[in-house]
Structure formats: C-alpha cells, structure tokens
Amino acid sequence: MKRGRPGHSSKGTSGRALVSVSSGHDAGTAGDGTGTGTEDAGTGHDDPPSARLWHVTLSVSGPRTPLAEVRRGLEQLAHDHPFLLTSRYATDHAEIRYWEEARDLHDAAALALRLWGEHRSTAGLPPWETVGLEVIDRTTYHQRLAEGYGPPPAVPVGVHPY
C-alpha cells in the first residue's frame, strides 16, 4: 500500500512508502478471513481497502533540552506534518496528538512509531525516544468524548507547554 499525504511531501520522506504485509490468507479473500475480498476479475488483484482515520497520541521522553529548542522543533514538526493537532511539551518529555489516515491500526501505529525518528533531523527535534503510543479509531475517540473519558479539555491547536 503506497502511503502519502495530500499536498507537499515533508523533507526527508519523499519516495518512502508503507507496504502492508500479507496476512497469510488465500488470494481472493478479505484480510479478515471472511472470504469477501474484492478481487478485480480483470487483473486478479484485490482492490485496496479504504483508509480510515485514527487518533494518535505519541509520547516521547529523553534528556533535558532547553524549552526553546523543544518548542522550535515541535513547531517545525507541525509545519512538516499537516495533520498535527496539538503538542504539549516540557524540558524532558512531550506528547503529540494528531489524526492519521491509514488502512488499519497496524499501519497507523507503524506510521506513528516512525514519526519522531523520521523528523528528528529535519525538524530539529531532541534525541528522545518514543515511550508511549495510543492509536484509536474515530468512533472510539468520539465515544470516549461523549462518555466524558476523552483526553483532557482541548487546548487550542498548536504547540503548548505543559
């Protein structure tokens, strides 16, 4: 599956694609094993599954870094990654929330896990590591909000200190 974003591609990520690995089911069946694949009779290939929206919360942590450097890096990341909703940061950790478009949870999580490392040099991000990841579908996100178990009250979109 070729993965891309609308608009201009980010620095350092052009030409990269996320490739889904076959789940081991017979050709012509859906990936969920239901046997309802949408094989194209003309080519013998399955139609690509439709993409879904996933809400991602990525937590990173590492050695203390001056707040101004952290903020500058996160602002550049927000510029490079157009779907970034909000970032919260301190001198030794940060949390990034955004929407990701992907075929399934596995692809969304793979993209999220690569985000910090792929943008570290181009955005000037601190040399921190990913210490937490939550990926939920749109329905679950809205259900949590409706039940009062969603994320803390929304701060304005952008980069904010804790």
Side-chain angles (χ1 to χ4, degrees):
M1 167 172 110
K2 198 114 162 121
R3 174 70 175 89
R5 299 192 187 286
H8 302 292
S9 63
S10 301
K11 291 186 221 173
T13 59
S14 62
R16 294 184 184 168
L18 178 65
V19 179
S20 297
V21 178
S22 172
S23 61
H25 296 286
D26 292 336
T29 63
D32 60 4
T34 61
T36 59
T38 54
E39 185 174 314
D40 182 351
T43 63
H45 297 288
D46 287 344
D47 290 338
S50 61
R52 296 167 49 191
L53 283 178
W54 301 88
H55 186 267
V56 176
T57 303
L58 181 71
S59 299
V60 293
S61 181
R64 289 189 171 276
T65 304
L67 282 177
E69 288 183 33
V70 177
R71 181 177 183 85
R72 185 172 43 252
L74 288 172
E75 286 173 343
Q76 184 62 47
L77 177 62
H79 176 74
D80 292 348
H81 195 279
F83 297 115
L84 189 74
L85 291 177
T86 187
S87 296
R88 299 186 304 167
Y89 64 94
T91 59
D92 62 351
H93 65 282
E95 178 184 87
I96 302 165
R97 293 182 183 178
Y98 64 97
W99 288 99
E100 183 66 72
E101 186 177 43
R103 178 181 58 90
D104 59 21
L105 179 119
H106 295 100
D107 287 350
L111 290 165
L113 289 170
R114 292 187 345 212
L115 178 74
W116 192 264
E118 286 187 354
H119 289 275
R120 185 177 295 152
S121 62
T122 59
L125 297 168
W128 295 346
E129 66 177 334
T130 299
V131 296
L133 175 65
E134 179 184 56
V135 180
I136 57 175
D137 68 356
R138 186 176 178 176
T139 302
T140 303
Y141 175 81
H142 288 292
Q143 181 180 1
R144 283 185 182 178
L145 288 179
E147 294 174 352
Y149 296 109
V155 296
V157 171
V159 177
H160 307 281
Y162 272 103

